[in-house]
Amino acid sequence: MDAGVQKIAIYDMDRTITVTGTYAAFLVHMARCVAPWRLIFLPVAGLVMIGYLLRLVSRARAKEINQGLLIGWRVNRARIQPAVESYADKVVAGNVRAGALRRIADDRADGYRLLIASASFRLYVEPIARRLGFDDVIATDHFSQDFDYLRARIAGENCYDVAKLRMIERWMKGQGIERDQAHVRAYSDHVTDAPLLDFADEGVAANPHAKLERLATLRGWPIVHW
């Protein structure tokens, strides 16, 4: 590989690095730590998710509504940050695949710039990424990302499916990284990341669900189980 080529390893987070999904558990953790009375809204949050599955509400809007119900529609960042950090500790301690840690360490040793690209909120992806030694994070942002309060509203796109690839391409442009001067290795467990795996020089189906496993077989992507 050309010495001038930037090596980038892009990891999805939920069920790629982690064993189970993190978003629902994050909301419950935050409610318990910040405002336990909000747990009364759990049945309503479940109905919102049913609405999403029935395509009555978008994925992004479902995330906004459930955050508002279980954390609050507008909350002080400093007040909730200890709970966010404790959730990151919880994920890293008990919900990270050992094989993923080994692959992350190998990519780091091989000189790759490590990037998490996740549909989960930057609010808690960043502290998890920091604990795992990642260099950069692309994730779903809040509208009030740079303010001292947090609103239950998404800024820009939900970092999911083709939107995730668009966000990665914008990030690369912002970093001054030309695509033909980068070697991209990408890992994901879910078929909605097919655009990213196609984009990568090395697309890897990691712990894939059935649809991605079938697609990986057709496309010739390596399949790994961590």
Side-chain angles (χ1 to χ4, degrees), residues 134-151:
F134 276 80
D135 301 300
D136 301 278
V137 167
I138 296 171
T140 303
D141 286 315
H142 284 95
F143 183 73
S144 51
Q145 188 67 36
D146 299 320
F147 299 152
D148 61 0
Y149 61 87
L150 186 75
R151 289 178 60 187

Side-chain angles (χ1 to χ4, degrees), residues 116-169:
I116 284 183
S118 172
S120 296
F121 281 120
R122 181 182 299 275
L123 175 69
Y124 72 89
V125 176
E126 281 190 338
I128 292 171
R130 187 168 62 248
R131 285 160 173 76
L132 296 177
F134 276 80
D135 301 300
D136 301 278
V137 167
I138 296 171
T140 303
D141 286 315
H142 284 95
F143 183 73
S144 51
Q145 188 67 36
D146 299 320
F147 299 152
D148 61 0
Y149 61 87
L150 186 75
R151 289 178 60 187
R153 182 177 171 188
I154 290 173
E157 297 185 285
N158 187 36
C159 187
Y160 182 76
D161 205 308
V162 293
K164 179 184 287 190
L165 178 57
R166 285 194 293 267
M167 292 171 75
I168 289 168
E169 289 175 320

Side-chain angles (χ1 to χ4, degrees), residues 16-76:
T16 299
I17 294 173
T18 66
V19 179
T20 61
T22 61
Y23 182 65
F26 169 71
L27 293 179
V28 173
H29 175 89
M30 294 299 291
R32 285 176 175 161
C33 292
V34 177
W37 64 270
R38 287 188 175 275
L39 292 171
I40 65 173
F41 293 126
L42 273 175
V44 182
L47 290 175
V48 172
M49 292 312 298
I50 291 172
Y52 161 67
L53 293 174
L54 294 175
R55 299 185 178 182
L56 300 175
V57 61
S58 71
R59 185 181 183 91
R61 186 57 183 152
K63 290 169 74 170
E64 292 175 336
I65 293 170
N66 283 346
Q67 179 181 322
L69 290 171
L70 294 173
I71 301 178
W73 299 99
R74 175 170 168 155
V75 291
N76 180 271

